[in-house]
Amino acid sequence: MANGLTMDLAASSESLALMSVLGVTVRFGGILALDAIEFDVARGQICGLIGPNGAGKTTLFNCMNRLYHYQSGDILFEGQSIKGTPTHQVARLGMGRTFQNLAIFRSMPVRDNVLVGAHSRSFCGFLSSALRLPRVQAEERRLRERADEIMDYLGLSPFRDRLVGDLPFGTQKRVELGRALAADPKLLMLDEPAAGLNHEELDALAQLIRDLRDRLKITVLLVEHHMSLVMGVSDHIVVLNFGRKIAEGPPGLIQSHPDVIEAYLGAQSARTAHTQAADPRPAALDYGTGGSHGQVA
Ligand code: ATP
């Protein structure tokens, strides 16, 4: 009985972590970009990953996507190491991603961009696709319906036939999100989704991120410099600085954490000194490339 209970507890605590980062270390020549980083991304939560410029956030995303190799440590997705998974199969595990610099096909229509995401989880092989076997046609229909659903969900249907390059930046970002969502991810990794958005688009983005968690049951890992967005939507926040994890916890704790304040103020004063050397006017309060919205406390 006691053993059964212990096993149940172990199983349930295991399933809480959708992804576990276990001592991940990455070096680029002499630069230690990530130094034994450890944390869990809990299933069903929005986890913010923040830190000043150069902290290692994108490097960690690239490790999770298998774009970069880590020299030591491991990353588990649903309890399994991703070390042996080739980059092109990461989407099949259930990980979707958007990029700092949009990864979309600007000369293709919106619908085709979203379809690219749906195809990344299609299981029809090259030969059956080339022969247009009936099951391929059924699968193609299913993927097109899925792409239509995603475009409706993101308000992209009116633009379905427009070339992505002709659309405003905020809409292009939604197309990229649509591509990632069309692959039905369990974990959606958003790399600076707020960058370049206006106030209205920011409010809509915050609502959308919450909706992804609450209605679509997607776990979200969010890299963002826009502090009010991260603090407003995240259940849990991990803070990196110079490749090290310096804090993690709920937003309230992170906002008042002395090491986090120190890290951001250090980055701020370095930038201020640099800016003032070039331009003696007072610098705007700014915690990163994301713009002037950053606020730690
Ligand atoms: P930002 O907020 O500016 O995007 P970041 O937290 O995402 O920064 P990274 O881009 O991960 O930080 O960079 C971490 C460190 O690793 C930096 O010192 C960066 O110069 C270095 N770095 C990242 N990618 C490479 C690479 N491919 N080759 C060499 N150095 C790299």
Side-chain angles (χ1 to χ4, degrees), residues 26-29 31-34 50-62 68 100 191-192 223-225 240 242-243 287-290:
V26 175
R27 278 191 190 80
F28 296 111
I31 298 171
L32 187 55
L34 293 176
I50 65 170
N53 296 130
K57 307 175 296 291
T58 301
T59 301
L60 187 53
F61 259 33
N62 287 342
Y68 286 177
Q100 249 176 55
D191 198 348
E192 298 196 26
V223 164
E224 188 49 72
H225 284 290
L240 304 183
F242 291 119
Y287 289 102
T289 51

Side-chain angles (χ1 to χ4, degrees), residues 103-119 143-144 146-180 182:
I104 43 176
F105 299 101
R106 294 170 53 82
S107 55
M108 274 168 41
V110 168
R111 193 183 200 211
D112 290 353
N113 269 275
V114 177
L115 265 174
V116 167
H119 275 285
L143 297 179
R144 284 184 179 278
R146 182 71 188 137
D148 287 348
E149 277 169 20
I150 299 285
M151 285 188 293
D152 280 348
Y153 176 70
L154 294 174
L156 289 170
S157 299
F159 314 107
R160 66 203 307 142
D161 298 319
R162 298 273 304 275
L163 297 185
V164 173
D166 294 342
L167 296 170
F169 184 67
T171 313
Q172 293 188 11
K173 290 198 94 156
R174 265 185 293 146
V175 174
E176 194 196 28
L177 183 58
R179 177 191 50 70

Side-chain angles (χ1 to χ4, degrees), residues 5-237:
L5 182 61
T6 313
M7 278 169 62
D8 284 351
L9 286 174
S12 67
S13 69
E14 239 176 51
S15 64
L16 282 179
L18 179 59
M19 177 183 271
S20 299
V21 180
L22 305 172
V24 167
T25 298
V26 175
R27 278 191 190 80
F28 296 111
I31 298 171
L32 187 55
L34 293 176
D35 185 4
I37 301 297
E38 299 240 6
F39 66 93
D40 282 346
V41 179
R43 202 181 283 272
Q45 285 202 347
I46 298 168
C47 177
L49 179 62
I50 65 170
N53 296 130
K57 307 175 296 291
T58 301
T59 301
L60 187 53
F61 259 33
N62 287 342
C63 290
M64 291 167 171
N65 275 161
R66 304 290 296 121
L67 292 169
Y68 286 177
H69 292 290
Y70 32 94
Q71 275 94 24
S72 56
D74 206 353
I75 295 172
L76 308 186
F77 188 74
E78 299 201 293
Q80 302 294 316
S81 169
I82 63 164
K83 228 173 199 162
T85 308
T87 311
H88 67 277
Q89 285 190 0
V90 164
R92 289 207 179 158
L93 294 180
M95 275 189 255
R97 174 179 180 179
T98 65
F99 290 79
Q100 249 176 55
N101 307 311
L102 295 178
I104 43 176
F105 299 101
R106 294 170 53 82
S107 55
M108 274 168 41
V110 168
R111 193 183 200 211
D112 290 353
N113 269 275
V114 177
L115 265 174
V116 167
H119 275 285
S120 68
R121 286 195 82 176
S122 163
F123 288 92
C124 289
F126 170 74
L127 193 60
S128 45
S129 296
L131 295 173
R132 303 286 302 153
L133 297 180
R135 74 185 174 92
V136 173
Q137 291 175 33
E139 169 79 342
E140 192 62 36
R141 245 192 330 273
R142 191 186 65 77
L143 297 179
R144 284 184 179 278
E145 282 166 14
R146 182 71 188 137
D148 287 348
E149 277 169 20
I150 299 285
M151 285 188 293
D152 280 348
Y153 176 70
L154 294 174
L156 289 170
S157 299
F159 314 107
R160 66 203 307 142
D161 298 319
R162 298 273 304 275
L163 297 185
V164 173
D166 294 342
L167 296 170
F169 184 67
T171 313
Q172 293 188 11
K173 290 198 94 156
R174 265 185 293 146
V175 174
E176 194 196 28
L177 183 58
R179 177 191 50 70
L181 284 179
D184 283 329
K186 295 173 187 166
L187 174 70
L188 184 61
M189 299 159 57
L190 303 175
D191 198 348
E192 298 196 26
L197 300 189
N198 63 34
H199 259 299
E200 258 175 42
E201 289 171 330
L202 277 172
D203 289 346
L205 176 65
Q207 275 183 32
L208 176 65
I209 293 173
R210 289 194 191 98
D211 196 66
L212 292 172
R213 174 195 59 193
D214 298 339
R215 230 155 38 98
L216 302 194
K217 308 293 176 206
I218 296 174
T219 303
V220 178
L221 181 57
L222 172 67
V223 164
E224 188 49 72
H225 284 290
H226 193 298
M227 287 302 148
S228 50
L229 178 78
V230 185
M231 295 298 165
V233 302
S234 300
D235 300 298
H236 187 83
I237 296 178

